[in-house]
Amino acid sequence: MSVTVAAEELPEVQSAVKADAAPAIVMEKVSKWFGTMQVLRDVSMTIAQGERVVICGPSGSGKSTTIRCINRLESHQEGRIVVDGTELTDDLRALDTIRREVGMVFQSFNLFPHLTILENCTLAPIWVRKMPKQQAETLAMEYLTRVKIPEQAKKYPGQLSGGQQQRVAIARALCMKPKIMLFDEPTSALDPEMIKEVLDTMIGLAQTGMTMVCVTHEMGFARQVADRVMFMDRGEIVESGTPVRMFEDPQTDRLKLFLSQILRGH
Amino acid sequence: MAEIAAEAGVPFAARQRPPAKVVGPAAWARRNLFGSWWSTALTLVLGYLILRFAWGFFDWAVVHAIWTVPYDAQGHANSAPCRAQMGVGACWAVIADKYRFILFGFYPYDEQWRPLVCIALFLALYAISANRRFWRRELGLVWIVTLLLILLLMHGSETLGLTVVTDDRWGGLPLTLLLATFGLALAFPLAVAVALGRRSRTLPAVRLLCVVYVELIRGVPLISLLFMSSVMFPLFMPQGVNFDNLLRAQVAIILFAAAYLAEVVRGGLQALPKGQYEAADALGLSYGRKTRLIVLPQALRIVIPPLVNTFIGFFKDTSLVLIIGIYDLLQSGRAAVDDPVWQGFGNEVYVLLALIYFCFCFAMSKYSRGLERDFSRSRRR
């Protein structure tokens, strides 16, 4: 477990939830099995545009699988998932549309090691969005500046630290101008001193009103940024609510146990 | 490290060079050759054997060698001086007399400038392709044009005023280069396609086809495949339909090489972390773009060493076509000493052939090592 950043250190983030608009993500009774093992059990949620949701839970609870279902890196077997008004099916065209609108940041960065930082960022805009190269590079530099590493543009991912790589990964996803950003444990593979720089970048992103779904153990971040926290265990959503309510007044024994485990040692 | 040392206040001048006992050739020899009584004994015995062999070879190849022999009035070589020295000294005169047959086989003597130009074209093609500055789309076009030009030159054309030489008279080095270059150039794309097909999750029929193809071809020796193409294949074809022998051998080599290369490429595809596929998917890249831009560039870099290993193996395996009567470099060399004048002087010819094969294979190996180094440099550090 990584160091939790205390809420007081972080800047204030205004809520940007647009409750009246069409929801960004709808999951209805989604179930999934790996072989005979059920990893998701009737997971249902509605995430509004501009909403920031943190999903937490013990390992193996299905939180990663849940957000990987949102851009169909995993396919669900029962239930319904609608992202930005498009239902996820085997239809490849619907899949293309959704992946264009949903950016994802991985635990292990997954930058392309054979391409420079700039090429990593311009690849998808050029090939998927059909953007002219010049324009894509301007855009990439803009986002690299925003994650505070424009000077690394000509280097290769292997030459950067973990924290820098993860910030590039965020910039790479943002270059596609997504409407929704998914974060799958973005700080879990980082050394403690690099966690803050990545969290700061994510907070900066939250301030722009981006719809964000984060799987993370960073409770300080959740407290500061999240509109809602969901607690998952054994493939189902056990409890959800505002961060303050969840952390200060947990209703279920499973969440109480989880919180006591995660806060031990801090 | 340097900054750390400087910050810690350790002056560089105070550092001494390591003692000569630790570095330098003498220390190297002491450590690696004479480290213990056992390794000292091994060094002495092996050193003696190597020197003994090297001296024996030098004695045969240079000291007692005969470089020229007299020719009679009709221009026939007289090998009597060589025969007198047989077993004692090499007779390099056999190569001086027969080199054109070794290099070009039964290709008409007066037209042999054409295969010579072809060899030059092949070498130029390799040289251009080796330079990474030219790795562009146009290079593919250069390959196609050059290879067609080589075929045209070898075959000839009445309209261009070049005597037609049918491919049963082709031979020697150009034929070896032809079989190897066409073989690998066509086998490689096929191998990539088969490797991708074998990993396809959405097209089970294609995957099955690829598995069957690879396992069937790998299950039989190349020789039997060549025999099949040469002897059995015509039996199955209707009367009158006949492809020529060289083409069939070439197809057999391509199919065989592709099966092996496909497994090498598949190894690279498997070595690529799953996250790379997922990141490409998450960015919305299509299968084709993901494969071309993300997967293959990385997978092929990973497998450069085994890939070149297979290339080198196949370059030499082309010599197996001799069993179906095609005169490649090796077979031309063997045939050269069938001449009654030069019977028994095979050693000299084989030394030359070995040298030629070695040059090509060593160049490939050396180049691949450079490539690996360049790629790993851009990847890490």
Side-chain angles (χ1 to χ4, degrees):
Chain A
M1 200 62 49
S2 46
V3 180
T4 314
V5 178
E8 295 74 44
E9 296 174 23
L10 301 170
E12 186 73 18
V13 178
Q14 295 294 319
S15 173
V17 180
K18 293 182 203 145
D20 46 342
I25 301 164
V26 178
M27 291 179 107
E28 279 172 12
K29 291 191 170 292
V30 172
S31 292
K32 178 175 176 62
W33 289 261
F34 285 138
T36 54
M37 192 180 67
Q38 188 165 10
V39 288
L40 295 183
R41 300 166 198 267
D42 290 338
V43 172
S44 296
M45 64 172 82
T46 304
I47 297 175
Q49 283 179 31
E51 191 174 4
R52 296 178 289 266
V53 175
V54 164
I55 304 178
C56 60
S59 64
S61 59
K63 50 195 194 308
S64 280
T65 309
T66 304
I67 75 163
R68 287 160 62 87
C69 278
I70 295 174
N71 67 350
R72 213 174 170 77
L73 286 183
E74 306 279 0
S75 54
H76 58 288
Q77 284 137 9
E78 270 180 16
R80 222 170 136 248
I81 302 178
V82 181
V83 178
D84 193 33
T86 310
E87 179 166 1
L88 282 177
T89 56
D90 286 328
D91 179 15
L92 286 174
R93 214 162 317 147
L95 187 61
D96 279 350
T97 316
I98 285 162
R99 284 187 175 160
R100 236 173 268 189
E101 305 306 333
V102 180
M104 183 151 191
V105 176
F106 298 88
Q107 178 177 355
S108 49
F109 327 137
N110 296 346
L111 295 179
F112 304 127
H114 62 301
L115 301 177
T116 62
I117 298 307
L118 190 64
E119 287 166 343
N120 263 280
C121 293
T122 56
L123 186 83
I126 290 173
W127 292 99
V128 182
R129 287 246 189 253
K130 312 283 177 209
M131 197 182 276
K133 193 175 173 217
Q134 201 88 47
Q135 195 185 337
E137 284 181 353
T138 315
L139 180 76
M141 286 313 293
E142 198 177 296
Y143 280 110
L144 285 174
T145 310
R146 228 164 91 181
V147 301
K148 302 196 177 66
I149 33 177
E151 72 283 358
Q152 313 281 9
K154 295 286 173 212
K155 289 192 183 168
Y156 286 89
Q159 297 166 280
L160 269 56
S161 74
Q164 290 174 322
Q165 287 194 46
Q166 192 62 299
R167 284 186 280 150
V168 172
I170 294 173
R172 176 176 74 176
L174 290 177
C175 282
M176 281 295 281
K177 304 217 165 180
K179 293 181 181 162
I180 301 165
M181 283 286 284
L182 308 176
F183 292 84
D184 188 1
E185 304 204 29
T187 55
S188 299
L190 294 174
D191 290 335
E193 74 270 21
M194 294 173 183
I195 290 177
K196 189 171 182 300
E197 65 187 56
V198 171
L199 288 181
D200 284 346
T201 307
M202 289 168 67
I203 290 165
L205 186 61
Q207 285 166 331
T208 66
M210 173 72 75
T211 309
M212 292 164 72
V213 184
C214 314
V215 170
T216 182
H217 295 298
E218 297 298 333
M219 292 305 136
F221 171 79
R223 209 177 253 266
Q224 189 61 34
V225 167
D227 298 303
R228 188 153 44 123
V229 174
M230 290 181 190
F231 171 66
M232 286 188 77
D233 192 16
R234 290 176 225 155
E236 55 193 358
I237 298 176
V238 179
E239 209 179 321
S240 76
T242 62
V244 175
R245 210 279 290 146
M246 290 286 278
F247 297 148
E248 273 154 30
D249 184 23
Q251 302 291 307
T252 56
D253 290 340
R254 283 199 263 178
L255 178 55
K256 281 177 198 163
L257 178 69
F258 176 71
L259 287 174
S260 72
Q261 282 168 340
I262 205 168
L263 295 174
R264 191 177 303 151
H266 290 308
Chain B
M1 289 309 284
E3 294 96 276
I4 295 171
E7 276 163 13
V10 180
F12 282 107
R15 297 207 170 167
Q16 290 173 350
R17 294 191 49 200
K21 272 182 193 167
V22 187
V23 294
W28 182 89
R30 193 194 311 250
R31 197 165 50 238
N32 295 299
L33 299 178
F34 304 101
S36 63
W37 69 268
W38 166 242
S39 81
T40 304
L42 210 61
T43 302
L44 292 178
V45 170
L46 286 178
Y48 171 74
L49 289 177
I50 290 170
L51 284 179
R52 186 69 201 274
F53 176 82
W55 172 248
F57 183 80
F58 183 73
D59 191 52
W60 174 79
V62 179
V63 177
H64 288 101
I66 295 174
W67 302 89
T68 51
V69 287
Y71 283 78
D72 63 18
Q74 286 83 44
H76 292 302
N78 177 7
S79 61
C82 280
R83 297 223 171 264
Q85 279 278 51
M86 212 159 170
V88 181
C91 177
W92 299 116
V94 60
I95 287 168
D97 191 39
K98 282 291 183 184
Y99 76 99
R100 286 182 65 162
F101 185 82
I102 297 169
L103 281 183
F104 305 121
F106 289 108
Y107 207 87
Y109 198 81
D110 294 330
E111 300 288 332
Q112 283 180 0
W113 63 271
R114 279 153 56 182
L116 186 66
V117 171
C118 288
I119 294 177
L121 282 173
F122 272 123
L123 294 180
L125 191 60
Y126 302 151
I128 289 174
S129 312
N131 193 330
R132 287 179 65 190
R133 253 187 312 156
F134 298 121
W135 286 12
R136 284 185 243 138
R137 201 163 294 179
E138 294 86 337
L139 188 60
L141 205 68
V142 170
W143 267 75
I144 294 169
V145 170
T146 313
L147 291 181
L148 288 177
L149 190 65
I150 285 168
L151 285 183
L152 180 71
L153 257 177
M154 289 295 283
H155 187 267
S157 146
E158 290 300 343
T159 48
L160 292 175
L162 295 169
T163 325
V164 170
V165 180
T166 49
D167 63 23
D168 50 329
R169 306 191 66 188
W170 299 3
L173 183 59
L175 191 68
T176 290
L177 294 180
L178 202 80
L179 286 170
T181 310
F182 273 88
L184 293 171
L186 294 173
F188 187 63
L190 180 62
V192 171
V194 169
L196 290 170
R198 200 171 169 173
R199 279 176 61 84
S200 168
R201 262 175 295 169
T202 44
L203 303 168
V206 170
R207 185 176 56 199
L208 187 69
L209 197 70
C210 293
V211 172
V212 169
Y213 163 72
V214 168
E215 297 305 334
L216 268 187
I217 299 275
R218 280 204 309 177
V220 295
L222 178 55
I223 290 192
S224 68
L225 213 60
L226 287 170
F227 263 129
M228 261 193 267
S229 75
S230 163
V231 183
M232 279 169 66
F233 186 68
L235 296 178
F236 301 142
M237 296 307 283
Q239 286 273 296
V241 177
N242 199 16
F243 299 102
D244 76 48
N245 202 25
L246 184 63
L247 180 62
R248 275 181 275 137
Q250 178 75 80
V251 170
I253 287 178
I254 292 171
L255 291 179
F256 198 72
Y260 274 86
L261 290 173
E263 285 301 279
V264 172
V265 173
R266 191 166 68 96
L269 294 175
Q270 267 165 351
L272 202 61
K274 199 164 150 249
Q276 293 289 309
Y277 293 89
E278 290 181 348
D281 282 339
L283 286 170
L285 291 170
S286 64
Y287 176 80
R289 299 221 173 90
K290 176 174 68 171
T291 306
R292 193 159 56 84
L293 300 168
I294 306 300
V295 177
L296 285 180
Q298 294 188 67
L300 294 182
R301 277 170 210 201
I302 298 172
V303 294
I304 288 173
L307 213 51
V308 173
N309 191 34
T310 316
F311 276 23
I312 289 174
F314 270 96
F315 182 75
K316 293 176 296 180
D317 279 356
T318 54
S319 59
L320 289 172
V321 295
L322 70 88
I323 61 145
I324 54 170
I326 293 173
Y327 280 73
D328 76 316
L329 181 60
L330 183 65
Q331 179 65 352
S332 299
R334 284 163 53 113
V337 287
D338 283 346
D339 183 338
V341 179
W342 295 112
Q343 255 170 22
F345 292 99
N347 286 347
E348 288 81 350
V349 173
Y350 285 128
V351 168
L352 174 74
L353 296 183
L355 211 62
I356 296 176
Y357 276 107
F358 179 80
C359 286
F360 281 99
C361 295
F362 185 67
M364 276 193 261
S365 157
K366 190 97 181 133
Y367 177 69
S368 87
R369 251 179 298 160
L371 211 54
E372 265 175 75
R373 210 175 36 235
D374 282 0
F375 281 150
S376 64
R377 192 179 297 154
S378 73
R379 226 186 127 149
R380 274 179 275 279
R381 185 170 52 178

